[in-house]
Amino acid sequence: MKKIISVVGARPNFMKVAPIHRAFQKYKDSVQHLICHTGQHYDERMSKVFFDDLELPKPDFYLGVGSGSHAEQTAKVMMEFEKVLLQEKPDMILVVGDVNSTIACSLTAAKLHIKVVHVEAGLRSFDRKMPEEVNRVLTDAISDYLFVTEKSGLENLEHEGVDGSKVFFVGNVMIDSLVYYLDKTNGRTVLKDYGLEPQNYILVTLHRPSNVDSKEQLTKLIAMLERLSGERKVIFPIHPRTRKNIAEYNLLDERNSNLILTDPIGYIDFLTLTKNAELILTDSGGIQEESTYLGVQCITLRTSTERPVTVEVGTNQLLGNDLNKAEQAALEVLNGKKKEGQIPELWDGKAAERIVSILVEKLS
Ligand code: UD1
């Protein structure tokens, strides 16, 4: 019996590991697939609700590391994950995405000579000020098998000298979850609960340090949302980091009924909101991809994207930190100027099956 441990830590990891876990069930007589939750995200609404929505089993290991500075968080994950690896001696570990738990666990495993699998490898924003970019570059450099979601990833890894025999273009596991759960959105009441009509509201998410840690930038963003809420209802599920800064900078009273502020929302309700939005404003990575798959208009409030296919092929517009431009583009979308898009290659709901069949072969 072979053993592989997949790592989840932060919110965007859960929907990526769920289809991989499902795909491994087919091989459960020969491969034991275990899940380790680092506890980087720990609030019920940032973590538990995703296990429920995505039908993930209770994690086999919970490291409980919580928040801290980058060094503290990364170091704590490494110390706790090392104990798990020494005890369990897996044949491989699998990490997804680009969060601190991703690099912490891959580095720990690589030093113990345990094979590292990186799913969502090769993405590059070319902005080393983003903590995620550092995590991506380093994780890819020490991974043994690299699974890529879009062609840009292949080129980036080739430029960095990664041996092509370790790299596989398989599509997007996050889209696997979307495809799997899309039907479930039909029964949800979340639009009604917030008084929203399909195709007639703006969905907003903001949590990047570059947008929400600077008082000046966050003040401008909130003022823009206030203005846009004069055009359409705006729903803004607020990430804990953003919530903390809004309170600290004293930026929002919740009296404008067209600007709906909520706690973070679970996977299927959020997918329902994404699917039915007229426009999305975001600085998330994953939402750029989900909106592209669904053909929903998306304006990304960042200067770079590590997911260029969403701009080249999909419905995403990258509008940087120039909020005048972003607001102008938002108004144009609301006035009917829509960007046509297509679904990127291999985003077909079967990426996890491809990954798992390759890994099972490598393990045998
Ligand atoms: C992390 C990821 C980011 C990802 C995001 C999704 C890194 C470097 N960043 O950023 O790539 O897009 O998750 O959400 O790994 N907090 C809570 N409850 C929680 C989790 C966090 O209150 O369950 C608060 C804490 O005050 C914490 C802050 O949010 O200090 C930031 O959390 P952290 O995990 O450090 O980074 P994120 O900003 O969530």
Side-chain angles (χ1 to χ4, degrees):
M1 188 77 144
K2 300 289 179 181
K3 191 188 282 186
I4 174 161
I5 300 180
S6 288
V7 175
V8 292
R11 183 169 60 177
N13 296 160
F14 306 124
M15 56 294 263
K16 296 172 190 166
V17 167
I20 293 171
H21 182 69
R22 208 176 311 114
F24 266 119
Q25 297 319 299
K26 200 169 133 191
Y27 303 95
K28 63 174 186 289
D29 294 339
S30 53
V31 182
Q32 187 183 19
H33 180 249
L34 301 173
I35 296 176
C36 177
H37 187 340
T38 65
Q40 177 174 345
H41 284 174
Y42 45 86
D43 282 2
E44 170 123 2
R45 290 193 171 94
M46 297 296 285
S47 174
K48 171 145 192 321
V49 63
F50 291 88
F51 275 79
D52 298 343
D53 274 1
L54 295 158
E55 301 162 277
L56 272 163
K58 195 165 165 289
D60 300 280
F61 313 97
Y62 185 75
L63 308 182
V65 301
S67 303
S69 70
H70 284 275
E72 276 168 351
Q73 194 175 55
T74 310
K76 273 198 217 157
V77 173
M78 290 183 71
M79 287 168 68
E80 295 306 314
F81 193 56
E82 185 176 55
K83 293 178 197 159
V84 172
L85 294 181
L86 290 173
Q87 182 196 305
E88 294 293 322
K89 303 190 174 46
D91 300 283
M92 270 182 190
I93 68 128
L94 182 152
V95 294
V96 296
D98 54 19
V99 302
N100 285 343
S101 301
T102 309
I103 177 60
C105 292
S106 30
L107 187 51
T108 310
K111 293 276 183 80
L112 291 173
H113 307 165
I114 295 168
K115 295 250 182 289
V116 176
V117 179
H118 187 204
V119 172
E120 208 183 79
L123 296 178
R124 296 290 180 269
S125 67
F126 303 102
D127 174 2
R128 294 266 172 118
K129 291 220 168 74
M130 285 179 77
E132 295 83 1
E133 182 74 353
V134 178
N135 295 342
R136 288 179 201 117
V137 170
L138 297 180
T139 302
D140 285 342
I142 54 174
S143 289
D144 298 282
Y145 303 111
L146 299 91
F147 292 102
V148 172
T149 53
E150 62 167 84
K151 289 261 173 77
S152 71
L154 295 176
E155 288 156 27
N156 296 333
L157 293 173
E158 196 185 331
H159 280 149
E160 289 172 21
V162 176
D163 175 355
S165 68
K166 303 198 295 191
V167 180
F168 305 88
F169 174 41
V170 289
N172 191 324
V173 287
M174 199 192 56
I175 298 301
D176 290 4
S177 276
L178 188 160
V179 170
Y180 191 78
Y181 286 108
L182 194 57
D183 275 352
K184 275 209 175 176
T185 60
N186 294 326
R188 305 302 269 209
T189 59
V190 58
L191 264 67
K192 219 167 94 215
D193 297 345
Y194 289 110
L196 301 169
E197 288 160 22
Q199 306 306 319
N200 199 27
Y201 62 90
I202 304 171
L203 172 62
V204 178
T205 79
L206 294 169
H207 73 279
R208 292 276 156 214
S210 60
N211 276 327
V212 306
D213 285 359
S214 134
K215 183 174 180 184
E216 195 196 336
Q217 179 72 359
L218 190 56
T219 306
K220 284 191 199 156
L221 280 163
I222 299 287
M224 179 177 85
L225 298 183
E226 294 268 10
R227 285 192 298 276
L228 287 172
S229 72
E231 303 290 324
R232 293 293 188 281
K233 281 199 172 167
V234 174
I235 180 160
F236 182 13
I238 308 183
H239 183 282
R241 172 195 280 277
T242 312
R243 163 95 51 196
K244 206 168 70 193
N245 291 342
I246 285 176
E248 194 176 315
Y249 307 148
N250 230 335
L251 288 182
L252 262 178
D253 55 37
E254 306 197 8
R255 273 170 300 175
N256 174 353
S257 63
N258 264 354
L259 179 49
I260 305 159
L261 309 176
T262 76
D263 283 331
I265 289 178
Y267 181 71
I268 294 175
D269 279 342
F270 193 83
L271 184 55
T272 312
L273 288 172
T274 303
K275 183 181 93 173
N276 290 294
E278 183 176 9
L279 170 64
I280 297 176
L281 298 178
T282 191
D283 57 9
S284 148
I287 295 168
Q288 297 173 52
E289 298 183 330
E290 290 165 330
S291 56
T292 272
Y293 182 86
L294 293 165
V296 174
Q297 300 297 304
C298 179
I299 291 177
T300 298
L301 299 166
R302 285 172 44 189
T303 47
S304 61
T305 179
E306 62 287 337
R307 294 160 159 92
V309 77
T310 61
V311 176
E312 287 154 15
V313 173
T315 47
N316 189 22
Q317 301 185 57
L318 188 62
L319 284 165
N321 294 337
D322 181 346
L323 292 186
N324 291 333
K325 256 202 210 156
E327 189 170 347
Q328 194 53 41
L331 291 170
E332 284 174 9
V333 170
L334 299 180
N335 285 325
K337 193 174 158 208
K338 309 266 195 253
K339 184 178 176 203
E340 292 291 323
Q342 281 162 5
I343 295 176
E345 198 178 340
L346 292 185
W347 290 17
D348 58 0
K350 299 193 169 75
E353 287 168 31
R354 290 184 197 105
I355 291 169
V356 167
S357 78
I358 294 168
L359 291 180
V360 168
E361 197 196 304
K362 299 285 176 198
L363 279 165
S364 60

